[in-house]
Amino acid sequence: SDTPRPSPRTNRTRRVPRLQARGELQGQIDAFLADGARTELAFPRSLSSFDRLIVHRICEGEPSLSSASSGQGRSRRIVVSKK
């Protein structure tokens, strides 16, 4: 039919979990930054590829942090380090 379908990018119901995930990841990174005793934050392998991307983007905006992913498939994980 001629009825337009909503784009997945504009579907707000999909964005809410992503925004919540970003907030949770940001909170973990903020706590890590505030902890002077820790130099690395290793996220679990269960983190999705999208969540790893969020972590990389958060670290890009924080000059005192770097991030690196390692492994393949289900064994892939991300580690955040203080510079």
Side-chain angles (χ1 to χ4, degrees), residues 3 5 7 10 13 22 24 31-33 35 40 42 45 49-50 57 59 63 66-68 70-71 78 80 82:
T3 306
R5 295 181 182 203
S7 165
T10 60
T13 58
R22 182 180 175 90
E24 291 170 13
F32 167 65
L33 276 169
D35 185 345
E40 281 192 353
R45 289 180 173 89
S49 60
F50 182 78
R57 295 269 167 87
C59 291
S66 64
S67 61
S70 62
I78 186 167
V80 175
K82 293 179 182 172

Side-chain angles (χ1 to χ4, degrees), residues 13-29 43 46-56 58:
T13 58
R14 288 182 124 184
R15 293 186 62 181
V16 171
R18 289 183 176 179
L19 292 174
Q20 288 172 344
R22 182 180 175 90
E24 291 170 13
L25 294 167
Q26 182 73 58
Q28 290 180 48
I29 291 171
F43 284 90
S46 60
L47 218 59
S48 72
S49 60
F50 182 78
D51 289 340
R52 287 193 306 272
L53 174 65
I54 290 173
V55 171
H56 284 300
I58 291 170

Side-chain angles (χ1 to χ4, degrees), residues 64-80:
S64 63
L65 295 178
S66 64
S67 61
S69 290
S70 62
Q72 293 182 356
R74 292 179 186 230
S75 295
R76 193 147 180 85
R77 70 180 317 161
I78 186 167
V79 176
V80 175

